[in-house]
Structures are given as C-alpha cells and as structure tokens.
Amino acid sequence: MHIQTRLVHNGGGPDPATGSIAPPLHLSTNFERSADGGYARGYIYTRMQNPNRDALELCLMNLDGGQESVAFASGTGAIVALLQALEPGAHAVLGEDLYFGTAKSLRALVEPWGVKLSFVDATDPARVKAALTPQTKLVFVESPSNPFLKITDLAALAEIARKGGARLAVDNTFATPVLQRPLELGADAVVYATTKYLNGHSDALGGAAVFKANDEFANKVRMIQGLGGGVPSPFDCWLLLRGLRTLPLRMREHCANAARVAAFLQSHPAIKTVHYPGLESHAGHAIARRQMPGGFGGMIAAQVKAGRDGALAAVAKAKVFLRATSLGGVESLIEHRASTEGPGTRTPDDLLRISVGIEHADDLIEDLKQMLG
Ligand SMILES: *Cc1c(COP(=O)(O)O)cnc(C)c1O
C-alpha cells in the first residue's frame, strides 16, 4: 500500500478491547506480571517498552523501509545516541552545515567521551573521502542542511562511506521520508527531530533513529535508549502518531507554498540571495531533483540587502508569519537565525530562516510584501 494509506491506519486498526478508532493511550509506567512470574503480554516497565512507543517505532520503521527504529525524547537525544554508539577512539566525519544545536551537543558530549569529530563541506564528496581515516566509523550529514539548505549527494556519500568501512547516517528532518528516502539511497541510518514535520503541530518534542539493518549498531542505540533513559512519553508518542497521519498531505502543501514564497522572494528587490533547493539557481538543484522526488520541502533561507537591522526590522512587522524558532509545524515561522543561535554562530547576520506553513500562499506572500516594504 502507498505511504498515505499506511499512515492513515498507523495506529494498527481499532482497539481490540473496545473498538475505539483512535488508539488508546497507555500512560501506565508498569505492567502486571503473570502468576508464574512471567510477562505474558511482553511489557514490564515503560522506560524499556510501552505500547504507544512500540506503535510509533513500528510506524517510523515502516515509513523509511528500515528493519529497526528507536524513538527518543528529542532529535538531539537520537543524534547523541548514534554517536555514543561508537567506541572511544573512533572517528566520525560530519557535514559542516549541521543544525547548530547538533554540532554544539556533539562537541560538548561526544568529543570528551573520546570520539574524534571532523566537520567538512559534505556537498563535495571528495572532501568527505579525504577526511576518512582507518578509525572512521560514521559519516553524518543533513541534506537539505541547516540553515543554508545545501544539498549533499547521499548515494555518492553512501558509496564513499561503505568503501571506507564506515556507516552513513542522514538527518532527514527537513525532507521527511515523504520527500527523500536515504535508506534506499544507500544510507545505513536515518535520524529525525520528530519535533518538526513528522509531528507537524509544534506540540511534541521527539526524535528517532531508523536503521537499514537490525545489526550490532542498531542494538547498541536500542541499549542506549533503555539504559540511558532518554525515552519519549507515551502521550508524545500518541501525538506523533496522530501528526503522522496527515504527513503526506501536509508535505504537499509545505512544498507548494515554499515554491511560491521562494519565487516571490527571489524577485523582490530587498532580497540579496534565496536559498531553496527547488530554485534552478540553487547549487544543489540538479541533485535535489534526483534525490528528493517528492518535492523540495518547506524550508527557505533568505539574505536581505539591508543587513542585520533590515532583517530584524522585517521580522518585527510579521503578521501571518509567527516570530519563533523551530520548523515543520502547520503555521509559518520566520526568525533572524544568527541571534537565535547566539555566540559561535556561523550564520550571516542578514539571514532570515523561514518555515513555510500550510496557510494560503497568497496570504504568506502579502505578509512578506509588507514586511520587506
Ligand atoms: C530541531 C532539529 C534537531 C534537534 O531536534 P530536537 O528535537 O530539538 O532535539 C536536529 N536536527 C535538525 C535538522 C533539526 O531541525
């Protein structure tokens, strides 16, 4: 069956006990043991397993076509677990245009644990290849990346990683499995901030890692989930499954709206540069066309001619767009990215990051018109 059909029925059908169409929410932290001391129904304690988390993990695993999936309390939790699954002494190559928080967390937590990190421009496969050492166990990239929406050739990187004895993991948060399918392009793992598009309603924090094979690496991440304890709550799992039912529908609208907004921004005299992989002028457009068959996504970065003051002045006038960080919700957001990231940011001061929502494109364009003057 097609993704959209499977997602609508992602709760596993009516509840066998009551016939409820919406899946029941299992808030219980602990589960009854049988008289013989066993666990006939498979559940012991919610940090280890929970019916709502099981349903979510099964859905995410099938969505990407993987063989294992591990849910976390945040996207950062999933990414840190992936790197923590490497042994001290191992080396990882990371794309340099990664979500600011990811680079910060990995430097603070994973480097002291003894995993060496090299940040390179992953849009050039030759640089990734050159950065590999005999100790390299993981290549980790975002495509589209954050905040520049750079495109990396994932099939090329999968080949380079494989030949170098390393795994390729892709943060697919911006694209979602509806637009881009990294495991089918040769990646070994995909991670998500499910907080963003997969949930889609800005009301549940979460993360997940999905693996091509249920191997030693996946088992290690599963162990970190249970023993580390960074698990999502049953209600967040329930909310995520609810959000996922409309993911294909929402992504269609995000893509269509973003294409219109990007074209409008590109034609506007106050704008210096628009970064959107759907534009023919984008450096990664040809690769994106091939590797994102479902569309180019809802994220746009735009640099304004009037610099930091001009960018902040534009954002101050927003009416339909909301001034907030994060992305992937139904509502359109705009932010001055450098000041969100704060000290150590690599983002230019004139850059606005836009998460295009599912409002009517005409209303979004009208709002941007009055913001940019
Ligand atoms: C938000 C985000 C993360 C981090 O996810 P959290 O749920 O905020 O921890 C990781 N990667 C990308 C691309 C993101 O946008």
Side-chain angles (χ1 to χ4, degrees):
M1 275 189 284
H2 294 84
I3 281 187
Q4 68 209 70
T5 310
R6 284 192 275 126
L7 280 177
V8 166
H9 298 280
N10 68 15
D15 173 38
T18 62
S20 77
I21 297 301
L25 172 58
H26 296 278
L27 292 172
S28 190
T29 52
N30 43 359
F31 297 84
E32 189 190 29
R33 263 173 108 154
S34 328
D36 66 2
Y39 297 95
R41 287 158 290 199
Y43 293 101
I44 302 173
Y45 186 61
T46 279
R47 174 159 44 74
M48 308 312 291
Q49 318 95 358
N50 171 278
N52 293 104
R53 197 167 86 221
D54 281 357
L56 172 65
E57 287 179 342
L58 183 66
C59 175
L60 293 175
M61 184 183 89
N62 290 332
L63 190 52
D64 261 301
Q67 290 188 351
E68 175 63 311
S69 143
V70 186
F72 286 88
S74 69
T76 304
I79 294 166
V80 170
L82 208 66
L83 274 287
Q84 213 182 11
L86 307 180
E87 303 293 333
H91 174 240
V93 177
L94 299 102
E96 65 182 1
D97 194 35
L98 280 185
Y99 169 59
F100 184 74
T102 296
K104 196 168 160 180
S105 298
L106 298 183
R107 284 206 169 100
L109 299 174
V110 174
E111 269 182 338
W113 149 261
V115 173
K116 287 208 173 59
L117 307 175
S118 301
F119 291 85
V120 303
D121 176 1
T123 62
D124 180 358
R127 295 208 195 180
V128 173
K129 193 171 175 181
L132 296 181
T133 74
Q135 281 71 47
T136 310
K137 295 288 182 257
L138 189 72
V139 175
F140 179 71
V141 297
E142 285 176 18
S143 185
S145 69
N146 192 354
F148 283 107
L149 287 306
K150 288 184 182 170
I151 300 295
T152 289
D153 186 334
L154 298 178
L157 248 53
E159 181 72 7
I160 288 169
R162 196 182 53 77
K163 285 192 176 143
R167 289 184 167 89
L168 173 67
V170 177
D171 184 333
N172 202 33
T173 298
F174 276 26
T176 83
V178 174
L179 307 184
Q180 173 171 276
R181 312 188 55 74
L183 298 186
E184 291 167 16
L185 296 168
D188 301 282
V190 190
V191 296
Y192 294 100
T194 55
T195 314
K196 315 294 172 53
Y197 288 104
L198 300 199
N199 180 55
H201 295 75
S202 309
D203 54 11
L205 201 70
V210 183
F211 298 88
K212 181 152 65 185
N214 191 2
D215 60 7
E216 184 196 350
F217 187 52
N219 290 337
K220 192 114 189 247
V221 173
R222 169 69 74 195
M223 181 192 81
I224 293 168
Q225 177 204 43
L227 300 185
V231 293
S233 75
F235 186 45
D236 283 347
C237 296
W238 189 95
L239 281 172
L240 247 156
L241 274 175
R242 180 163 80 164
L244 279 161
R245 287 178 208 135
T246 54
L247 178 67
L249 200 69
R250 287 185 282 109
M251 291 317 291
R252 242 187 347 259
E253 217 49 31
H254 285 298
C255 291
N257 279 355
R260 285 204 48 205
V261 168
F264 165 77
L265 290 171
Q266 201 173 35
S267 71
H268 197 284
I271 299 292
K272 189 165 74 181
T273 324
V274 182
H275 305 271
Y276 183 64
L279 293 172
E280 277 177 32
S281 56
H282 187 282
H285 179 69
I287 297 168
R289 209 171 241 308
R290 167 158 48 81
Q291 115 184 336
M292 302 176 76
F296 302 106
M299 293 302 296
I300 300 173
Q303 292 178 258
V304 303
K305 285 181 188 158
R308 176 188 168 90
D309 291 347
L312 287 167
V315 165
K317 288 188 257 175
K319 290 197 173 83
V320 179
F321 280 86
L322 303 177
R323 283 182 297 275
T325 192
S326 196
L327 59 121
V330 291
E331 63 286 321
S332 291
L333 306 175
I334 189 161
E335 70 171 328
H336 179 250
R337 188 65 193 161
S339 52
T340 303
E341 293 179 347
T345 180
R346 298 169 58 250
T347 303
D349 242 356
D350 60 0
L351 185 139
L352 295 174
R353 196 181 76 169
I354 296 174
S355 174
V356 181
I358 64 166
E359 301 94 335
H360 198 291
D362 291 348
D363 297 328
L364 298 177
I365 288 169
E366 274 312 304
D367 199 28
L368 285 166
K369 241 182 226 168
Q370 66 82 20
M371 277 192 251
L372 294 167

mmCIF file of all heavy atoms in Angstrom, residues 74-76 79 99 102 142 146 171 173-174 193 195-196 205-206 327, ligand 1:
data_model
loop_
_atom_site.group_PDB
_atom_site.id
_atom_site.type_symbol
_atom_site.label_atom_id
_atom_site.label_comp_id
_atom_site.label_asym_id
_atom_site.label_seq_id
_atom_site.Cartn_x
_atom_site.Cartn_y
_atom_site.Cartn_z
ATOM 1 N N SER A 74 13.953 13.484 22.182
ATOM 2 C CA SER A 74 14.185 14.648 21.314
ATOM 3 C C SER A 74 15.053 14.208 20.138
ATOM 4 O O SER A 74 15.684 13.136 20.190
ATOM 5 C CB SER A 74 14.899 15.770 22.091
ATOM 6 O OG SER A 74 16.224 15.381 22.400
ATOM 7 N N GLY A 75 15.125 15.041 19.134
ATOM 8 C CA GLY A 75 16.007 14.766 17.997
ATOM 9 C C GLY A 75 17.452 14.712 18.467
ATOM 10 O O GLY A 75 18.231 13.844 18.049
ATOM 11 N N THR A 76 17.815 15.631 19.348
ATOM 12 C CA THR A 76 19.171 15.665 19.878
ATOM 13 C C THR A 76 19.500 14.358 20.602
ATOM 14 O O THR A 76 20.603 13.824 20.455
ATOM 15 C CB THR A 76 19.319 16.863 20.847
ATOM 16 O OG1 THR A 76 18.951 18.047 20.128
ATOM 17 C CG2 THR A 76 20.721 16.996 21.363
ATOM 18 N N ILE A 79 20.406 11.769 18.022
ATOM 19 C CA ILE A 79 21.697 12.020 17.363
ATOM 20 C C ILE A 79 22.857 11.717 18.313
ATOM 21 O O ILE A 79 23.833 11.053 17.933
ATOM 22 C CB ILE A 79 21.768 13.476 16.841
ATOM 23 C CG1 ILE A 79 20.733 13.659 15.726
ATOM 24 C CG2 ILE A 79 23.175 13.813 16.340
ATOM 25 C CD1 ILE A 79 20.457 15.111 15.358
ATOM 26 N N TYR A 99 22.565 21.459 11.839
ATOM 27 C CA TYR A 99 21.803 22.175 12.849
ATOM 28 C C TYR A 99 22.760 22.604 13.965
ATOM 29 O O TYR A 99 23.529 21.797 14.480
ATOM 30 C CB TYR A 99 20.703 21.250 13.377
ATOM 31 C CG TYR A 99 19.992 21.738 14.610
ATOM 32 C CD1 TYR A 99 19.332 22.954 14.609
ATOM 33 C CD2 TYR A 99 19.975 20.980 15.774
ATOM 34 C CE1 TYR A 99 18.683 23.404 15.754
ATOM 35 C CE2 TYR A 99 19.328 21.421 16.914
ATOM 36 C CZ TYR A 99 18.692 22.634 16.904
ATOM 37 O OH TYR A 99 18.053 23.080 18.027
ATOM 38 N N THR A 102 23.050 20.540 17.055
ATOM 39 C CA THR A 102 23.691 19.232 16.898
ATOM 40 C C THR A 102 25.195 19.357 17.083
ATOM 41 O O THR A 102 25.799 18.619 17.869
ATOM 42 C CB THR A 102 23.387 18.647 15.495
ATOM 43 O OG1 THR A 102 21.983 18.427 15.398
ATOM 44 C CG2 THR A 102 24.122 17.346 15.257
ATOM 45 N N GLU A 142 23.365 16.300 7.006
ATOM 46 C CA GLU A 142 21.994 16.750 6.767
ATOM 47 C C GLU A 142 21.878 17.119 5.295
ATOM 48 O O GLU A 142 22.777 17.762 4.767
ATOM 49 C CB GLU A 142 21.691 18.036 7.558
ATOM 50 C CG GLU A 142 21.469 17.854 9.022
ATOM 51 C CD GLU A 142 21.276 19.198 9.742
ATOM 52 O OE1 GLU A 142 20.976 20.218 9.093
ATOM 53 O OE2 GLU A 142 21.445 19.196 10.968
ATOM 54 N N ASN A 146 21.202 22.872 7.335
ATOM 55 C CA ASN A 146 20.618 23.891 8.185
ATOM 56 C C ASN A 146 21.687 24.906 8.584
ATOM 57 O O ASN A 146 22.652 24.510 9.215
ATOM 58 C CB ASN A 146 20.088 23.155 9.428
ATOM 59 C CG ASN A 146 19.211 24.012 10.285
ATOM 60 O OD1 ASN A 146 19.053 25.210 10.060
ATOM 61 N ND2 ASN A 146 18.649 23.410 11.285
ATOM 62 N N ASP A 171 20.548 12.967 8.722
ATOM 63 C CA ASP A 171 19.480 13.679 9.428
ATOM 64 C C ASP A 171 18.485 14.126 8.360
ATOM 65 O O ASP A 171 18.764 15.037 7.570
ATOM 66 C CB ASP A 171 20.056 14.879 10.204
ATOM 67 C CG ASP A 171 18.991 15.598 11.034
ATOM 68 O OD1 ASP A 171 17.803 15.550 10.658
ATOM 69 O OD2 ASP A 171 19.360 16.233 12.044
ATOM 70 N N THR A 173 15.445 15.321 8.791
ATOM 71 C CA THR A 173 14.386 16.121 9.412
ATOM 72 C C THR A 173 13.720 17.083 8.431
ATOM 73 O O THR A 173 12.496 17.209 8.399
ATOM 74 C CB THR A 173 14.968 16.927 10.600
ATOM 75 O OG1 THR A 173 15.453 16.006 11.576
ATOM 76 C CG2 THR A 173 13.935 17.838 11.237
ATOM 77 N N PHE A 174 14.522 17.786 7.615
ATOM 78 C CA PHE A 174 13.956 18.792 6.703
ATOM 79 C C PHE A 174 13.149 18.141 5.578
ATOM 80 O O PHE A 174 12.171 18.702 5.120
ATOM 81 C CB PHE A 174 15.077 19.651 6.077
ATOM 82 C CG PHE A 174 15.523 20.809 6.939
ATOM 83 C CD1 PHE A 174 15.402 20.783 8.312
ATOM 84 C CD2 PHE A 174 16.083 21.948 6.356
ATOM 85 C CE1 PHE A 174 15.822 21.845 9.112
ATOM 86 C CE2 PHE A 174 16.505 23.033 7.129
ATOM 87 C CZ PHE A 174 16.373 22.978 8.512
ATOM 88 N N ALA A 193 14.473 14.787 14.017
ATOM 89 C CA ALA A 193 13.807 15.520 15.076
ATOM 90 C C ALA A 193 12.336 15.372 14.696
ATOM 91 O O ALA A 193 11.838 16.077 13.811
ATOM 92 C CB ALA A 193 14.239 16.974 15.092
ATOM 93 N N THR A 195 10.035 16.208 16.362
ATOM 94 C CA THR A 195 9.508 17.505 16.816
ATOM 95 C C THR A 195 8.999 18.351 15.646
ATOM 96 O O THR A 195 8.085 19.157 15.812
ATOM 97 C CB THR A 195 10.662 18.296 17.480
ATOM 98 O OG1 THR A 195 11.372 17.453 18.370
ATOM 99 C CG2 THR A 195 10.180 19.527 18.199
ATOM 100 N N LYS A 196 9.610 18.194 14.482
ATOM 101 C CA LYS A 196 9.385 19.097 13.354
ATOM 102 C C LYS A 196 8.267 18.555 12.457
ATOM 103 O O LYS A 196 7.145 18.441 12.901
ATOM 104 C CB LYS A 196 10.701 19.304 12.605
ATOM 105 C CG LYS A 196 11.916 19.572 13.536
ATOM 106 C CD LYS A 196 11.815 20.890 14.283
ATOM 107 C CE LYS A 196 12.894 21.095 15.348
ATOM 108 N NZ LYS A 196 14.262 20.943 14.936
ATOM 109 N N LEU A 205 7.834 17.179 21.517
ATOM 110 C CA LEU A 205 9.269 17.041 21.265
ATOM 111 C C LEU A 205 9.566 15.553 21.063
ATOM 112 O O LEU A 205 9.014 14.718 21.779
ATOM 113 C CB LEU A 205 10.017 17.571 22.488
ATOM 114 C CG LEU A 205 11.466 17.997 22.318
ATOM 115 C CD1 LEU A 205 11.546 19.271 21.492
ATOM 116 C CD2 LEU A 205 12.093 18.248 23.686
ATOM 117 N N GLY A 206 10.421 15.240 20.108
ATOM 118 C CA GLY A 206 10.769 13.828 19.923
ATOM 119 C C GLY A 206 11.856 13.634 18.910
ATOM 120 O O GLY A 206 12.208 14.542 18.141
ATOM 121 N N LEU A 327 10.611 24.600 13.368
ATOM 122 C CA LEU A 327 10.113 24.454 11.990
ATOM 123 C C LEU A 327 9.175 23.261 11.887
ATOM 124 O O LEU A 327 9.057 22.480 12.824
ATOM 125 C CB LEU A 327 11.311 24.231 11.054
ATOM 126 C CG LEU A 327 12.188 23.003 11.362
ATOM 127 C CD1 LEU A 327 12.230 22.060 10.171
ATOM 128 C CD2 LEU A 327 13.601 23.431 11.706
HETATM 129 C C1 LIG B 1 15.456 20.581 15.561
HETATM 130 C C2 LIG B 1 16.477 19.781 14.880
HETATM 131 C C3 LIG B 1 17.267 18.853 15.590
HETATM 132 C C4 LIG B 1 17.160 18.698 17.088
HETATM 133 O O1 LIG B 1 15.927 18.174 17.487
HETATM 134 P P1 LIG B 1 15.323 18.470 18.943
HETATM 135 O O2 LIG B 1 14.059 17.685 18.965
HETATM 136 O O3 LIG B 1 15.148 19.943 19.051
HETATM 137 O O4 LIG B 1 16.331 17.969 19.929
HETATM 138 C C5 LIG B 1 18.158 18.087 14.875
HETATM 139 N N1 LIG B 1 18.311 18.226 13.549
HETATM 140 C C6 LIG B 1 17.584 19.109 12.835
HETATM 141 C C7 LIG B 1 17.780 19.200 11.361
HETATM 142 C C8 LIG B 1 16.647 19.921 13.472
HETATM 143 O O5 LIG B 1 15.943 20.804 12.762
#
